Amino acid sequence: MSLNESLELEIRQTIENNIENWPLYEKIADKQYKKFGNDQVCSASIKGNPDFMSYLQQAENGETYKLDLTHGAYLVYTPNYNNWNNEKLFSFGVGDMRICSAGWLIPLYAYSDKIVWGNITCSDGVLSQEFESCLKITQIIMGYFTTKQL
């Protein structure tokens, strides 16, 4: 196994072993970690889905917990205020969430008691090695949650 493969395996194991380790998540109040939707850039004609807007209001005012991963990637979770399952969570499009620009959290998984969101976007404006690392981390996180849904 090459050094790169070994490091990738170590990063994969670290991420996968910590994603559902809820005590590792730290309670946060900073609004920058509560970017679930309701983008001010959206026109007034984009109203958003009432069910999502209800969740959003509760999530913005409620408790949020954050887990730093690596290379700037992090996950946050909020309570599952509206008792959504994954089918419902993923039924919301950007218009439903009132997202009209970049920089918003991505919904990853609906547990019975919490919703997990991720900041796992990569910018190709960074050095190619950092961009490749970001893509690999994104693949690991997305793969983890995709496998859970199967």
Side-chain angles (χ1 to χ4, degrees):
M1 181 181 293
S2 73
L3 180 59
N4 280 344
E5 290 172 331
S6 177
L7 287 173
E8 181 181 330
L9 180 60
E10 185 177 326
I11 289 171
R12 176 181 302 278
Q13 289 173 336
T14 299
I15 289 172
E16 290 178 350
N17 290 337
N18 290 313
I19 283 178
E20 293 183 335
N21 191 345
W22 309 121
L24 293 178
Y25 286 70
E26 295 180 14
K27 188 175 180 178
I28 55 168
D30 193 333
K31 294 281 187 193
Q32 85 176 44
Y33 300 111
K34 296 184 176 198
K35 294 183 73 172
F36 308 110
N38 201 16
D39 190 347
Q40 298 305 311
V41 174
C42 292
S43 71
S45 66
I46 301 174
K47 303 289 184 206
N49 177 287
D51 193 23
F52 186 83
M53 292 294 114
S54 165
Y55 164 83
L56 181 65
Q57 185 174 24
Q58 295 173 85
E60 286 178 343
N61 296 314
E63 296 180 347
T64 302
Y65 297 84
K66 178 181 176 231
L67 175 66
D68 286 313
L69 295 170
T70 183
H71 290 79
Y74 63 85
L75 301 177
V76 297
Y77 77 79
T78 64
N80 188 347
Y81 296 109
N82 295 6
N83 299 309
W84 295 333
N85 59 22
N86 282 302
E87 183 179 354
K88 180 66 176 180
L89 178 64
F90 296 123
S91 73
F92 298 117
V94 293
D96 296 323
M97 297 188 287
R98 292 199 79 240
I99 295 176
C100 300
S101 62
W104 297 87
L105 293 169
I106 298 167
L108 295 173
Y109 201 81
Y111 292 87
S112 62
D113 62 339
K114 60 184 63 70
I115 303 284
V116 176
W117 301 79
N119 175 38
I120 52 174
T121 55
C122 303
S123 168
D124 60 3
V126 297
L127 300 174
S128 63
Q129 184 176 359
E130 290 176 19
F131 182 68
E132 288 179 29
S133 296
C134 180
L135 287 177
K136 190 56 71 178
I137 291 163
T138 299
Q139 289 172 343
I140 292 167
I141 294 168
M142 297 301 287
Y144 180 86
F145 286 109
T146 300
T147 302
K148 279 191 72 65
Q149 292 179 42
L150 301 178

